[in-house]
Amino acid sequence: PNIDQLAKEGVRFTQHYANGPECSPTRTALLTGRYQQFAGGLECAIGTGNVGRYDDAIRLAKINELGLPASSAVIPKAIQNQGYKCAVYGKWHLGYEPKFNPISHGWNDFFGYLGGNVHYFNHRETSDLHVLFDDDLPVYREGYMTDLITESSVDFINRTTKPFLLFVSHESPHFPFQGPEDKEKPVDSGNWMDIDPQAYISMIESLDESVGKILRTIEDAGKKNDTVVIFVSDNGGFANAADMGVLRGSKSMTYEGGIRVPLIIRWPEKITAGQVSDQVSITFDLTRSILNLAGISENGNQSRSDSLVSKLDGYDIIDHVMKQRDEIPRTLFWRGKRGNRVWRAVRHGDYKLVTKEGEADPINAVYDLSVDPAETKDITDQRPDLKRKLSELLKTLYGF
């Protein structure tokens, strides 16, 4: 109900994409404003305990360099330079080494965990590694992870007098599947990813309650009208747990089910409520939009953060819906690696090429999303010219 109400009060996007089919790549794109391939080693989620999962990531892990360098991130430094206080609470998943900690990136406040998922009650990874931190120091807390993230976020809003950027990075509904009432449920490395439908429902309900608490806090603080709220996901749903509707595939794939995700933006002062936008957008569009809102242009004073701003890949989608512009076609790219498996995709207008290699069942197919969003009909035979064009487009970004 709270997420639904947020959509009613803002704009809901029907064709928004995560930059990657997994979390670390998308988070990299959000903080850098660019395709994650430029950061190195982050085309796949970092493995539990700081493990690289494909060649480049394995190489970087061996030399303690697997993570997002602070020098590559435009957020939060560029925002702070405009007088904003910046905090992140919850999942980080952009490096375990101290130099990759959010505080080393320049965030003012951090509470959360460094890895990709933790036990919701003891806050440890499957290896029993302690990864819960308060700023750059290990910390121990009692409570359900979703509640702890929410409590930190509420406290930050209530005590912050400056303009702020708050990144509420919830784990839910990521495995392990534990609802708020499942403290005594046995969960270990043997059943960490086992699907529990009732727990999944409880996790979604808990997440929705969290959204409601944060929205009420903003309103009670008198900050509703001039606060932009963005609700978004970093990848598609987990196979056999999430319901992706008509969309094919799931997390880790570049089919629509792996990369097309929810996006809601609310700004009562500027965005007309109740809109539904079919504008194609992607994670790093949010980066561009946020920076523009903070008054950061491409022509800065050439400080480190300003020079990075000049390299942003995104499009200002908040300005797009504010001014109710006509939809524009986009050309967007994806590549995700894990082991020898490589998923790729390019969307050009309404046409999309999906490929997979490195496994026994390779994929190389073209779809017309305007009539086939479920990607059920490969139109390669009817449009070989289109397939050649889309394949060439991939080369313009990745060089293959």
Side-chain angles (χ1 to χ4, degrees):
N2 292 296
I3 297 170
D4 287 349
Q5 183 62 32
L6 183 66
K8 291 175 184 176
E9 294 179 357
V11 54
R12 178 174 63 86
F13 288 77
T14 64
Q15 298 193 73
H16 178 73
Y17 290 95
N19 260 92
E22 295 181 350
C23 41
S24 295
T26 302
R27 290 160 184 268
T28 297
L30 176 66
L31 297 191
T32 65
R34 305 186 71 200
Y35 281 102
Q36 58 272 17
Q37 282 75 12
F38 297 115
L42 292 169
E43 292 188 49
C44 174
I46 298 174
T48 298
N50 201 20
V51 173
R53 286 169 157 167
Y54 68 98
D55 50 7
D56 190 37
I58 292 168
R59 176 185 65 81
L60 290 168
K62 287 180 179 178
I63 59 174
N64 302 315
E65 294 292 341
L66 181 57
L68 177 62
S71 60
S72 298
V74 70
I75 293 176
K77 276 299 183 184
I79 305 291
Q80 285 178 325
N81 290 342
Q82 297 297 100
Y84 286 75
K85 188 169 183 180
C86 301
V88 53
Y89 300 120
K91 174 177 174 174
W92 180 241
H93 211 185
L94 290 171
Y96 286 72
E97 309 286 346
K99 61 188 170 185
F100 300 128
N101 184 283
I103 298 302
S104 298
H105 273 243
W107 293 86
N108 298 113
D109 284 15
F110 168 59
F111 166 72
Y113 54 97
L114 301 180
N117 58 95
V118 295
H119 191 288
Y120 280 79
F121 293 96
N122 68 30
H123 319 131
R124 291 176 175 267
E125 295 188 329
T126 50
S127 61
D128 206 37
L129 182 66
H130 184 86
V131 290
L132 191 67
F133 277 69
D134 186 349
D135 290 342
D136 53 0
L137 296 175
V139 66
Y140 295 85
R141 296 273 178 88
E142 288 288 329
Y144 185 61
M145 197 68 238
T146 302
D147 293 339
L148 294 178
I149 295 168
T150 303
E151 289 164 8
S152 294
S153 302
V154 166
D155 176 68
F156 175 79
I157 295 167
N158 283 331
R159 63 183 165 82
T160 301
T161 57
K162 297 173 65 175
F164 64 82
L165 172 69
L166 171 60
F167 181 12
V168 185
S169 185
H170 275 296
E171 176 174 13
S172 180
H174 198 291
F175 56 74
F177 296 108
Q178 297 171 285
E181 68 285 350
D182 290 333
K183 185 174 183 178
E184 304 305 320
K185 175 183 174 181
V187 174
D188 55 32
S189 58
N191 66 353
W192 194 265
M193 296 171 62
D194 287 358
I195 295 168
D196 180 337
Q198 187 55 53
Y200 193 85
I201 292 169
S202 295
M203 293 165 76
I204 294 289
E205 290 175 340
S206 172
L207 175 63
D208 186 77
E209 290 173 3
S210 168
V211 171
K213 288 177 182 177
I214 291 172
L215 294 177
R216 285 191 294 275
T217 301
I218 292 170
E219 185 167 7
D220 291 345
K223 300 174 181 178
K224 178 176 179 178
N225 286 338
D226 58 356
T227 299
V228 182
V229 176
I230 300 169
F231 179 90
V232 69
S233 182
D234 54 5
N235 51 246
F238 186 64
N240 301 318
D243 180 358
M244 299 306 296
V246 302
L247 302 183
R248 183 177 184 178
S250 56
K251 177 181 176 178
S252 300
M253 305 177 185
T254 57
Y255 284 126
E256 294 290 280
I259 54 177
R260 194 189 290 202
V261 296
L263 171 63
I264 299 166
I265 301 176
R266 187 191 76 176
W267 188 9
E269 201 168 69
K270 299 287 186 179
I271 294 176
T272 303
Q275 293 184 65
V276 176
S277 175
D278 297 324
Q279 173 60 52
V280 175
S281 60
I282 193 167
T283 305
F284 56 47
D285 291 343
L286 298 173
T287 316
R288 163 63 73 194
S289 303
I290 290 167
L291 293 177
N292 284 355
L293 284 177
I296 302 165
S297 69
E298 294 185 42
N299 302 313
N301 60 18
Q302 296 309 303
S303 67
R304 182 192 66 80
S305 58
D306 285 326
S307 63
L308 290 174
V309 168
S310 68
K311 299 177 182 178
L312 296 182
D313 289 320
Y315 169 67
D316 190 339
I317 54 168
I318 292 183
D319 186 68
H320 179 94
V321 294
M322 251 175 34
K323 296 178 179 175
Q324 299 189 356
R325 293 193 174 118
D326 293 335
E327 293 165 24
I328 60 171
R330 304 288 299 277
T331 300
L332 302 173
F333 302 88
W334 295 267
R335 185 176 72 187
K337 296 182 175 182
R338 184 177 287 226
N340 295 321
R341 184 188 69 200
V342 183
W343 281 89
R344 298 181 179 90
V346 54
R347 175 168 178 166
H348 181 62
D350 287 326
Y351 296 108
K352 183 181 171 193
L353 169 67
V354 179
T355 73
K356 184 185 74 166
E357 59 186 44
E359 292 184 334
D361 53 344
I363 297 166
N364 198 318
V366 177
Y367 304 99
D368 181 352
L369 298 178
S370 67
V371 295
D372 183 25
E375 296 171 302
T376 60
K377 185 179 180 182
D378 180 6
I379 61 172
T380 295
D381 290 344
Q382 292 79 27
R383 295 292 308 275
D385 59 317
L386 179 61
K387 187 168 197 174
R388 284 193 296 271
K389 179 177 181 178
L390 294 175
S391 298
E392 286 298 316
L393 280 173
L394 273 178
K395 294 179 184 177
T396 66
L397 183 67
Y398 296 128
F400 54 71

